[in-house]
Amino acid sequence: MVTAIVLMSVNRRRINDLAQELADLEGVSECYSVGGSYDLVALIRVRRTEDLAELVTGRMAQLDGIERTETLIAFQAHSRHDLENMFSVGL
Amino acid sequence: MVTAIVLMSVNRRRINDLAQELADLEGVSECYSVGGSYDLVALIRVRRTEDLAELVTGRMAQLDGIERTETLIAFQAHSRHDLENMFSVGL
Amino acid sequence: MVTAIVLMSVNRRRINDLAQELADLEGVSECYSVGGSYDLVALIRVRRTEDLAELVTGRMAQLDGIERTETLIAFQAHSRHDLENMFSVGL
Amino acid sequence: MVTAIVLMSVNRRRINDLAQELADLEGVSECYSVGGSYDLVALIRVRRTEDLAELVTGRMAQLDGIERTETLIAFQAHSRHDLENMFSVGL
Amino acid sequence: MVTAIVLMSVNRRRINDLAQELADLEGVSECYSVGGSYDLVALIRVRRTEDLAELVTGRMAQLDGIERTETLIAFQAHSRHDLENMFSVGL
Amino acid sequence: MVTAIVLMSVNRRRINDLAQELADLEGVSECYSVGGSYDLVALIRVRRTEDLAELVTGRMAQLDGIERTETLIAFQAHSRHDLENMFSVGL
Amino acid sequence: MVTAIVLMSVNRRRINDLAQELADLEGVSECYSVGGSYDLVALIRVRRTEDLAELVTGRMAQLDGIERTETLIAFQAHSRHDLENMFSVGL
Amino acid sequence: MVTAIVLMSVNRRRINDLAQELADLEGVSECYSVGGSYDLVALIRVRRTEDLAELVTGRMAQLDGIERTETLIAFQAHSRHDLENMFSVGL
Amino acid sequence: MVTAIVLMSVNRRRINDLAQELADLEGVSECYSVGGSYDLVALIRVRRTEDLAELVTGRMAQLDGIERTETLIAFQAHSRHDLENMFSVGL
Amino acid sequence: MVTAIVLMSVNRRRINDLAQELADLEGVSECYSVGGSYDLVALIRVRRTEDLAELVTGRMAQLDGIERTETLIAFQAHSRHDLENMFSVGL
């Protein structure tokens, strides 16, 4: 499983529509409108890196109104009560 | 439910330990080490705003090695196949 | 009560009109034109997070001339002579 | 009346104590811990500019743990249902 | 007397004309074209805050070619051989 | 006459003392504590460039508590009702 | 051999096409779409500096959709098991 | 194969030693000292994401003198004369 | 003699033509296309400050394709084997 | 001939001494203290890239008080009245 957090600054007039269009994309598990220096945050969970490339540089890149993105690709997930201390996200 | 995404730049030598300490905090649902201009991302899901304040300015603020944080508080969650189009996170 | 401080850079020609349009929005308690690296600051006080989402990503996003915003959502209010030391804003 | 909004990045370990120390200063009407790229926001309302100078470069400058501040001095307040359209803050 | 220093980045083709238009505004005491990360600096000295608001968000905001401004409002003037050590600008 | 505007971020605890020390330097005609993203602004007017070099990289550089400076050297002064349209500062 | 790493922010809609157009240029040995604060990274390996100038300011500059670039020119290559400790890239 | 480009600002006195220490790490295929706003660039090619995590947050994080890093994780490699147009890096 | 270093970000398609147009201006002694976060660097050596103003805000400001400039005005030149240790550039 | 422009922010107390130490290094043809967002600018002209590496990451890196550098390596020199229009710096 590949996990990525996509931070987006967007055209303010499209914020609600964009949030819904993003949430509707396969591979986007959650999409939040947020306070702070970004407008939207999308959590992406896909099977393979190929899916991430196809989603971020393919389908997301075609949406209207995304002005700036920063994609944070997870290379390790840490979770509570984790006996082995850490496990890879299997990216 | 209150959701927040906390972006962190941390002391590189503490990155793995910190990730685990964060993941072990009640209220932190996931913690990722990531590529990009931040080092760690924590997803927070708590019941009430009081819990968010207590977690971010209380317990997280006491951890060693967090150098800079940006807390993105969600004010709306968007999810797929959502008949009502949008629902509030109940923040 | 949910409190947020919205920092805005705006189209200079619209600064006075925008300030008044913002001040006229329900939920905006005060709006200031300021010196420094922002042009306008709006103080928002609404009942529920749903109202904040509707105000910031809905009505404010439709105004003309806002070029960049940073929304600081308060998660705790501190006030003078406060016997309990701190109380939540009830966000 | 002079109004100023002071945005602060602070030493994370001192965030709650600082917020209370700020709130206790005469001239600080409200102090919030916030999400976003600042940690604390103080609203200042004083009688005269002399009071602002004395508060910001005098008493606030002596507090421990404030790392970076940006002081936004209001030069005009806009409020709802304002028949005269705008009135000066009397700065 | 209210003093403010306005730092401006401007459309390069309008730099000389703008400098003169600014210098001709009542309330602007001096205007310099400068090297560094700004193009023009205007020194403003007006009687009251109302005049500052009217000048910066009114007349200056209507000039062509100003792309970015940062207004530094003085809250205290310090001068040489000053027996009282400091005096307020009477802002 | 050479004119320069020096923007300074300073150690907050030294802000008032520094302002006075700067104001007391020969060549500094005015020094302001300001709101915005700088703390102090010094206006320098000296006879020759040699004096500017000696002041900025010599005497000012020895003062305690100046953390960051940006020196804007004027290469042209524009003034009101100026029949010749522009005149050089004689830098 | 001259080596340079070119970091690019590009028009999101052209990201995949641009990546391929870059990869097809003689002198570009590899081109990656990446997560983080840039969109594309091109590795350039050419014979002489003249070739680098011709490639970066000539052919690459004519491609559509590159919005911002930062060219990092290598002045030394370090490689593993290198008995002489370091050798120049022969730039 | 997972590819990442790590941009580093480092302690200037350790630049040559660090470059060699990085180049000697298994998984770092090349390391360059570069001109521009970074000091060193390391190209990483490892088998699995687990190896990337172990290298970047483990072994590299223990080296002395790395002050700031930005890790660009490739999610797609584009190469010349590529009949299939694009292929995934198999990240 | 007045010396200034002008750092420029330019429209990529005009980079080579602009470099030549700049080099052809009287007062520009050298012009380089460079790697790093700027595209072009012009070295200016003129007799008097008036000439610098006329060149930078006059003739250079009329050229097509210069998007951002930062002018570094030298206030002192240091040279090797300099018995007097330092001499002013006679700015 | 390899040409590079090195922009430096330095410890203010060391500015004059550093300027002289830099000017005394073989390969540094000129060193200026400047106004703007850097403190010192060194022009480097050396025979081969090896010399640039040795100078920038070797001898310059050992000097006290240089806090941040940006090295702009020229890949093309443009000069006036140049019949061939452009010639490479022979980097």
Side-chain angles (χ1 to χ4, degrees), chain I:
Chain I
M1 188 62 79
V2 181
T3 300
I5 296 101
V6 187
L7 312 172
M8 285 167 274
S9 298
V10 309
N11 180 324
R12 296 182 60 66
R13 303 206 170 191
R14 297 256 314 127
I15 192 167
N16 278 333
D17 289 347
L18 250 180
Q20 194 55 44
E21 289 166 22
L22 285 161
D24 285 339
L25 292 177
E26 190 167 341
V28 173
S29 65
E30 292 148 86
C31 183
Y32 298 99
S33 52
V34 297
S37 44
Y38 296 93
D39 299 311
L40 293 177
V41 176
L43 301 188
I44 294 179
R45 291 181 223 270
V46 290
R47 285 282 306 279
R48 299 165 308 152
T49 305
E50 284 86 336
D51 303 326
L52 183 61
E54 188 272 330
L55 175 54
V56 173
T57 69
R59 286 175 292 145
M60 278 179 58
Q62 301 310 316
L63 297 180
D64 260 334
I66 299 178
E67 288 168 355
R68 192 167 61 88
T69 68
E70 166 125 18
T71 301
L72 308 172
I73 303 178
F75 41 77
Q76 198 159 36
H78 298 257
S79 56
R80 208 176 324 166
H81 312 308
D82 185 357
L83 290 181
E84 313 87 335
N85 203 34
M86 290 177 284
F87 68 96
S88 162
V89 291
L91 180 65

Side-chain angles (χ1 to χ4, degrees), chain A residues 2-27:
Chain A
V2 181
T3 300
I5 297 100
V6 187
L7 313 171
M8 284 166 276
S9 297
V10 309
N11 180 323
R12 295 183 59 68
R13 303 208 169 189
R14 296 248 328 130
I15 192 166
N16 278 334
D17 290 346
L18 248 180
Q20 194 55 44
E21 289 165 21
L22 284 161
D24 285 341
L25 292 177
E26 191 167 339

